[in-house]
Amino acid sequence: MSTAPTAPMTLDVSGTPKVPFARLVSVELRKIYDTRAGRWLLGAIVLITAAIMTIFFFAADQPERTFGNFIGISATPQGFLLPVLGILLVTSEWSQRTAMVTFALEPSRTKVIGAKTVAALIFGVAAFAAALVVAAVCTMLGGADGGFDDVETKLFVLFLALQLLTILQGLAYGLILLNTPAAIVTFFVLPIASSIVFSLVSALEDLAPWLDLSTAQAPLFNSFGGSGLSGEEYAQLATTSLIWIVLPFVLGWIRVLRAEVK
């Protein structure tokens, strides 16, 4: 007696609630500090920032112990280490093959990338806020006359934006390369190589502020206690950020959307 073939069983997931974006962000925040590399990097950011401020506190003369100077020197360790945090947030899942689990639980890669981006920026804001607190304490203990007189809200907002853009640059290289060592080396070597080329080739000197990110950012580091940035310097900073940060980030986003998870 023959039996009719049975249709394959299907699972209807149309009624399954989607994972809220806020929950994805909270998961990505937890991923930053629940790995050994993440914990060491967070500890390094805190300790190095505090150490540099302490060294400056004892090395600088009393009139130089101003709030703006303390914030300015905190930018160096944070500018170097926070982007690495963004790189690890992206590449660690691909090197440890946990991306397969992530995309199985949340098939929308765009939402996952968006959650990683928001989580990295939240840590960037938190690190900047912590630097503000430490700088304020050092300024009060430093005893400089008018230690807070160089505080300009516009400059600090722009400085925070620069820190966040640097984190996005790290995320961009992580998204493009999906490999931790390659992304970290590219992040540090490529901008340095660009600056060397523009500084050695005299014919490119006029183009450097428009094409080299470090050259365009230099006026910002020198603006504390000064008159701020000019309109042309804002345009140069925006142009180089578009070339070095926004465009690589978009290309990396597209790369992840098309990458095969192994």
Side-chain angles (χ1 to χ4, degrees):
M1 183 177 63
S2 61
T3 58
T6 58
M9 296 182 61
T10 59
L11 180 63
D12 183 12
V13 296
S14 59
T16 303
K18 297 182 179 181
V19 180
F21 185 75
R23 186 179 302 170
L24 290 177
V25 173
S26 66
V27 170
E28 297 300 333
L29 286 171
R30 190 165 63 248
K31 288 179 182 178
I32 293 177
Y33 61 81
D34 67 356
T35 62
R36 184 178 300 176
R39 286 194 296 269
W40 275 101
L41 185 57
L42 289 174
I45 293 173
V46 174
L47 292 177
I48 294 176
T49 301
I52 288 181
M53 286 190 178
T54 303
I55 293 173
F56 179 79
F57 181 90
F58 289 104
D61 296 330
Q62 182 173 333
E64 296 177 347
R65 297 171 186 169
T66 64
F67 189 70
N69 287 336
F70 281 113
I71 288 296
I73 64 171
S74 72
T76 301
Q78 292 195 3
F80 275 100
L81 297 177
L82 284 175
V84 177
L85 196 69
I87 290 173
L88 291 176
L89 190 59
V90 175
T91 58
S92 59
E93 290 209 307
W94 293 84
S95 60
Q96 299 173 11
R97 303 182 65 181
T98 57
M100 189 177 300
V101 178
T102 299
F103 294 139
L105 297 175
E106 176 48 68
S108 175
R109 298 189 182 188
T110 295
K111 286 182 64 176
V112 173
I113 296 173
K116 291 180 181 294
T117 302
V118 173
L121 294 179
I122 289 176
F123 263 93
V125 173
F128 186 77
L132 291 179
V133 173
V134 176
V137 173
C138 291
T139 303
M140 289 186 292
L141 295 177
D145 294 333
F148 292 94
D149 291 346
D150 58 352
V151 177
E152 295 185 20
T153 304
K154 180 178 66 175
L155 291 179
F156 284 111
V157 170
L158 188 61
F159 205 73
L160 172 60
L162 178 62
Q163 293 285 75
L164 299 182
L165 284 173
T166 308
I167 296 175
L168 290 177
Q169 186 180 7
L171 283 167
Y173 292 150
L175 291 171
I176 289 178
L177 299 173
L178 299 180
N179 180 277
T180 302
I184 293 176
V185 171
T186 301
F187 173 79
F188 287 111
V189 172
L190 193 58
I192 294 175
S194 172
S195 298
I196 292 175
V197 170
F198 280 103
S199 62
L200 293 179
V201 182
S202 58
L204 301 176
E205 184 176 351
D206 293 337
L207 294 176
W210 297 96
L211 298 178
D212 182 57
L213 186 60
S214 298
T215 304
Q217 291 177 348
L220 179 62
F221 290 94
N222 299 327
S223 61
F224 283 98
S227 57
L229 302 182
S230 65
E232 184 180 23
E233 289 171 338
Y234 274 113
Q236 292 168 349
L237 185 60
T239 302
T240 53
S241 297
L242 179 64
I243 296 172
W244 286 90
I245 300 174
V246 178
L247 183 59
F249 188 87
V250 172
L251 294 176
W253 194 303
I254 296 174
R255 163 83 192 282
V256 171
L257 293 181
R258 298 180 178 181
E260 179 183 357
V261 182
K262 299 179 180 180

